[in-house]
Amino acid sequence: MTQTDPNSPPRLTDRAQLARNRRRAAPEGLFLQRLAADEVKDRLTEVNRTFTKPAVVTGFPEIWCESFPDAKIVADDDTLDLEVGAHDLVVHGLSLHWANDPVGQLIQAKRALVPDGLFMGVMFGGQTLSELRAVLAEVEIETTGGLSPRILPMGEIRDLGALLQRAGFALPVADSDLRKVTYPDATALIRDLRLMGERNALEQRLNRPLSRQFLKTVNTRYARHFPAGDGRITASFDLVFLTGWAPDDSQPKPLRPGSAAARLADALGTDETKLPD
């Protein structure tokens, strides 16, 4: 039995279970990993920069190697195998949502960058599996009178963007790409989560599997609340992209308050009205 430090913060993720989940993943279930990798590549083409020393942090190296064959591939462990100041690009590939310390992961990524190096991360955001969360909560409250941790809690885009600032990145940007996927029923969705390697790996999860009756009720409620037409259901996957730069003196800085050389009213062609004291 592993002993834990009573003074350490509670761990969100059971890393051993997460590793088991990922080993059970299958190629047909990794379509969101491929989509995320392709989207990161597309976004990098819009950056006026050639990156020669990239690194990719991921739990699925076989997927991200295809898109970034020249990058150093790093496991998304609590301590990242990244050398300080060794990279001009660090990509965190759709695994940050499982981090026990996401700010710590971002700080490690920033330290690995050269000045004015780029960080780009993608992770699941707060709208991911919102339909399944709602149905599981509804059914479980009715049948047991309580709730158990069945799906990983995920941050909203505003909170995730704030993580970049806390980690010390310059020019932080966060944006979201909401994808809708349809399935025959909730059972097929849950099965697909296993193929993705995204099944429950919470430290405080219940190890008791869903009963047939419970799953039957979930299927019925899901189809009723979130139909996609033609007898199928819809499931949301919220891909949040985080972008930030390692600080450098060459980057643009905000002006000091009161240092403007022209009035906003003049620029807009309007009259300025002084507010009463």
Side-chain angles (χ1 to χ4, degrees), residues 27-260:
E28 63 268 27
L30 298 178
F31 62 95
L32 289 174
Q33 290 285 338
R34 293 189 182 90
L35 187 153
D38 289 343
E39 179 65 18
V40 169
K41 280 190 66 177
D42 287 345
R43 288 168 179 248
L44 288 173
T45 63
E46 300 174 3
V47 179
N48 188 24
R49 186 77 61 88
T50 298
F51 299 101
T52 60
K53 298 178 289 183
V56 177
V57 180
T58 175
F60 293 95
E62 65 279 9
I63 299 296
W64 290 82
C65 277
E66 296 174 5
S67 296
F68 297 90
D70 299 326
K72 177 179 180 178
I73 303 298
V74 177
D76 64 323
D77 298 327
D78 289 339
T79 301
L80 301 178
D81 183 22
L82 291 172
E83 183 181 347
V84 175
H87 301 282
D88 53 5
L89 170 68
V90 174
V91 174
H92 212 302
L94 202 55
S95 59
L96 190 58
H97 50 283
W98 284 113
N100 282 304
D101 181 10
V103 175
Q105 293 268 301
L106 295 177
I107 290 173
Q108 292 179 71
K110 182 172 69 71
R111 288 175 178 168
L113 289 168
V114 298
D116 204 33
L118 176 64
F119 170 84
M120 185 173 291
V122 54
M123 62 190 298
F124 286 125
Q127 297 184 66
T128 299
L129 299 175
S130 57
E131 303 90 352
L132 183 60
R133 295 172 192 273
V135 172
L136 286 175
E138 178 181 306
V139 175
E140 190 164 22
I141 288 173
E142 287 184 8
T143 56
T144 69
L147 285 174
S148 55
R150 296 189 182 276
I151 300 178
L152 177 72
M154 301 176 194
E156 298 298 330
I157 186 170
R158 179 179 298 180
D159 299 325
L160 297 177
L163 298 182
L164 290 168
Q165 294 177 309
R166 289 178 58 189
F169 281 103
L171 310 174
V173 176
D175 64 279
S176 174
D177 182 4
L178 186 64
R179 299 290 179 129
K180 299 284 187 177
V181 182
T182 66
Y183 291 93
D185 53 30
T187 300
L189 167 58
I190 293 170
R191 186 183 305 117
D192 215 23
L193 293 176
R194 179 180 64 81
L195 298 179
M196 294 179 191
E198 296 289 345
R199 288 289 292 273
N200 193 348
L202 291 169
E203 182 77 25
Q204 302 300 321
R205 71 190 181 282
L206 291 180
N207 289 317
R208 185 172 63 251
L210 299 177
S211 69
R212 289 185 179 180
Q213 183 56 48
F214 185 93
L215 192 53
K216 181 179 179 181
T217 306
V218 167
N219 279 326
T220 301
R221 297 288 178 85
Y222 204 127
R224 181 190 307 163
H225 295 325
F226 303 105
D230 298 324
R232 297 175 69 85
I233 62 168
T234 186
S236 298
F237 293 93
D238 184 15
L239 299 178
V240 175
F241 292 85
L242 305 176
T243 305
W245 295 84
D248 185 71
D249 290 340
S250 66
Q251 293 164 348
K253 305 291 191 300
L255 295 174
R256 293 183 295 104
S259 62

